[in-house]
Amino acid sequence: SCGATQLCNCSSMGLDYVPPGLTDKMTLLNLAHNRIKHIRSQDLQQAFNLRALLLQSNKISSIDKDSFHSLKKLELLDLTNNSLAQLSPAWFEHLFSLQHLYLQGNSYRDLGESSPFSSLRNLSSLHLGNPWFSTIRQGNFEGIELLDKLWIDGGSLSQYEPGSLKLIKKINHMVINLRNSSVFSAIVSDLLHSVLWLEVRKIEFSEPAEIQLLRVMSSSLAKKMSFKQILLTDATVPEIVSILEDMPKLVEVEMIDCRLLGTGQWEIQIQANQSHTLRVLTIKKLSIEQFYLFTDLQAVLGLLSRLTKVTVENTKVFLVPCRLSQNLLSLEYLDLSANLLGDQSLEHSACQGGWPSLRTLNLSQNSLSDLEMTSKSLSHLRNLILLDISQNNF
């Protein structure tokens, strides 16, 4: 399967073991989607020029401790979706060139007593966790100072020793999937000064009391916050907005595939000072079950005037209130694609004085049907240079 190239694709071949005859000519070996259960000492010994080794989606439950010792040039190792119940530091001891390590979807419950990664001085991205992963201890990340991406899949994470992630001085993009609010709070406390982009997944913010645990976030120096598959309610939105508005370096907020239970009748007035740094807001596929009862967002008018880029895509938007449009004074980019805007509602949304600085407007995949009316509604946008009205009902 290698042919004359150095890239050997042996994926999905029903293999029960690593095939013999591997040579030092190979730079990529793909053994994904097989039935391999055990990696033996001698299996990879001759393939010492490998740069990438793909072993995901096998049944690997044991790896001899010196199996990877000859792979000093290896840059990527993928062990995702196997059956590893423990991680051994010995596996990674000689992988001096390793940059990308993927370990999620196994069955280990913790990372051991010390750090399995202490010899990986060039590590750039690390993906960890599984449905049984429950404990992070101090020292688990010893040896790692800088990461481009750290992904922790911790749906069952219930024990976190404070300080465990503090050892990492800088993380460009941290993805964390959690259910436990107090563990989340402890982790965020350790990451206040190191993470540039924090992405939070699959946690429910339904009670204001839970949000108090997140107050610590308002001291975070992150520049970007992403929420994916999060549940929010009318009771918790004001709290979260107020935390985000207080974050001193925050430039961008993103919400993707989230659910909001409510109609925008925030129970308490949003108590927030307008952020001096926030410029970019992205909302995609926000599910609001009673979207047709949603209010006109009067409560947030004052928070919007500095935004320069707004995307609200595939969220059943049928109207942007005129006063809201008129408050978007700095807005240069607006994407309202895949929504429910019609001719009448666009006329109201793009009212006189609305979106005065707009340069790019995407209205594709809406319900516009009258081209003349559309152009009339948008004719006062003097700065517009790019307009997308494709896939409507003209």
Side-chain angles (χ1 to χ4, degrees):
S1 62
C2 303
T5 71
Q6 301 160 334
L7 313 176
C8 300
N9 184 4
C10 307
S11 69
S12 308
M13 288 187 166
L15 298 173
D16 292 312
Y17 49 84
V18 177
L22 303 183
T23 71
D24 59 359
K25 299 264 190 304
M26 301 174 176
T27 57
L28 180 145
L29 176 58
N30 183 353
L31 291 165
H33 302 280
N34 282 294
R35 297 194 298 257
I36 300 167
K37 289 182 179 162
H38 180 52
I39 309 286
R40 298 168 304 180
S41 300
Q42 67 273 26
D43 282 345
L44 300 157
Q45 214 166 0
Q46 299 308 313
F48 48 78
N49 283 315
L50 273 185
R51 298 281 198 282
L53 176 58
L54 308 180
L55 290 163
Q56 68 268 36
S57 302
N58 276 280
K59 297 186 171 161
I60 300 167
S61 57
S62 61
I63 299 174
D64 290 352
K65 67 176 192 295
D66 51 355
S67 293
F68 302 140
H69 276 203
S70 62
L71 306 182
K72 293 184 175 58
K73 295 181 181 175
L74 195 69
E75 293 171 9
L76 186 153
L77 174 59
D78 193 339
L79 287 161
T80 309
N81 296 336
N82 278 288
S83 306
L84 296 166
Q86 262 108 28
L87 300 180
S88 165
W91 300 339
F92 311 121
E93 223 168 44
H94 295 265
L95 300 181
F96 306 121
S97 305
L98 198 69
Q99 294 172 32
H100 309 283
L101 178 58
Y102 304 118
L103 296 166
Q104 72 271 51
N106 282 274
S107 53
Y108 52 86
R109 291 171 186 275
D110 57 39
L111 302 174
E113 295 299 321
S114 59
S115 169
F117 316 116
S118 52
S119 53
L120 301 177
R121 296 294 173 190
N122 287 305
L123 200 62
S124 164
S125 54
L126 175 61
H127 291 209
L128 292 173
N130 58 63
W132 301 276
F133 185 53
S134 64
T135 308
I136 292 179
R137 298 188 181 89
Q138 275 195 351
N140 278 168
F141 294 94
E142 192 84 53
I144 301 177
E145 289 209 353
L146 302 173
L147 280 177
D148 182 51
K149 188 167 189 179
L150 173 60
W151 187 319
I152 298 180
D153 189 358
S156 303
L157 196 60
S158 54
Q159 284 175 289
Y160 175 82
E161 289 186 4
S164 302
L165 282 161
K166 228 177 182 150
L167 298 166
I168 310 177
K169 304 271 188 297
K170 185 179 173 190
I171 305 169
N172 286 331
H173 184 187
M174 167 93 183
V175 182
I176 186 144
N177 158 8
L178 275 176
R179 293 206 182 84
N180 186 317
S181 303
S182 49
V183 168
F184 179 66
S185 181
I187 288 178
V188 170
S189 301
D190 280 350
L191 300 172
L192 290 178
H193 300 109
S194 54
V195 172
L196 293 180
W197 173 8
L198 179 60
E199 183 174 320
V200 185
R201 296 182 172 217
K202 295 187 181 173
I203 191 167
E204 296 193 352
F205 298 130
S206 44
E207 298 297 327
E210 294 170 337
I211 306 293
Q212 290 316 310
L213 290 165
L214 305 189
R215 254 307 134 197
V216 62
M217 258 170 58
S218 56
S219 315
S220 164
L221 300 182
K223 292 183 173 176
K224 180 173 179 179
M225 280 292 310
S226 295
F227 298 98
K228 292 192 178 170
Q229 295 166 286
I230 300 286
L231 176 80
L232 300 163
T233 65
D234 274 353
T236 54
V237 167
E239 303 279 353
I240 288 181
V241 169
S242 128
I243 290 169
L244 294 174
E245 292 281 344
D246 285 343
M247 288 171 67
K249 304 263 181 173
L250 190 66
V251 176
E252 183 171 355
V253 174
E254 182 178 64
M255 294 181 72
I256 295 175
D257 275 332
C258 295
R259 279 175 69 216
L260 172 60
L261 298 180
T263 56
Q265 304 279 355
W266 317 134
E267 286 177 12
I268 51 170
Q269 187 64 32
I270 288 190
Q271 299 294 323
N273 308 314
Q274 184 183 38
S275 165
H276 290 290
T277 54
L278 188 63
R279 296 290 180 270
V280 181
L281 174 64
T282 301
I283 298 174
K284 292 185 180 178
K285 286 177 74 177
L286 173 64
S287 162
I288 307 172
E289 275 148 43
Q290 295 180 299
F291 71 93
Y292 47 86
L293 295 176
F294 208 77
T295 65
D296 63 358
L297 294 174
Q298 285 282 7
V300 294
L301 285 185
L303 305 177
L304 304 172
S305 64
R306 293 174 190 263
L307 292 176
T308 58
K309 184 173 182 182
V310 171
T311 299
V312 184
E313 184 188 299
N314 202 350
T315 298
K316 298 193 168 77
V317 172
F318 55 89
L319 183 80
V320 182
C322 175
R323 281 193 58 196
L324 189 67
S325 296
Q326 289 167 339
N327 267 276
L328 291 164
L329 296 172
S330 310
L331 197 67
E332 294 177 9
Y333 177 103
L334 178 59
D335 180 350
L336 291 170
S337 57
N339 281 300
L340 303 172
L341 287 166
D343 299 319
Q344 305 286 339
S345 58
L346 178 62
E347 187 179 30
H348 181 83
S349 304
C351 60
Q352 282 298 325
W355 312 332
S357 310
L358 202 61
R359 296 168 67 80
T360 298
L361 176 59
N362 185 347
L363 296 171
S364 64
Q365 300 178 66
N366 273 280
S367 303
L368 304 173
S369 59
D370 186 329
L371 189 55
E372 190 179 351
M373 200 165 165
T374 298
S375 47
K376 214 171 188 174
S377 300
L378 303 177
S379 60
H380 66 92
L381 301 177
R382 292 277 176 248
N383 295 306
L384 201 63
I385 51 173
L386 193 150
L387 173 64
D388 186 345
I389 48 173
S390 61
Q391 299 178 74
N392 274 281
N393 302 332
F394 298 123

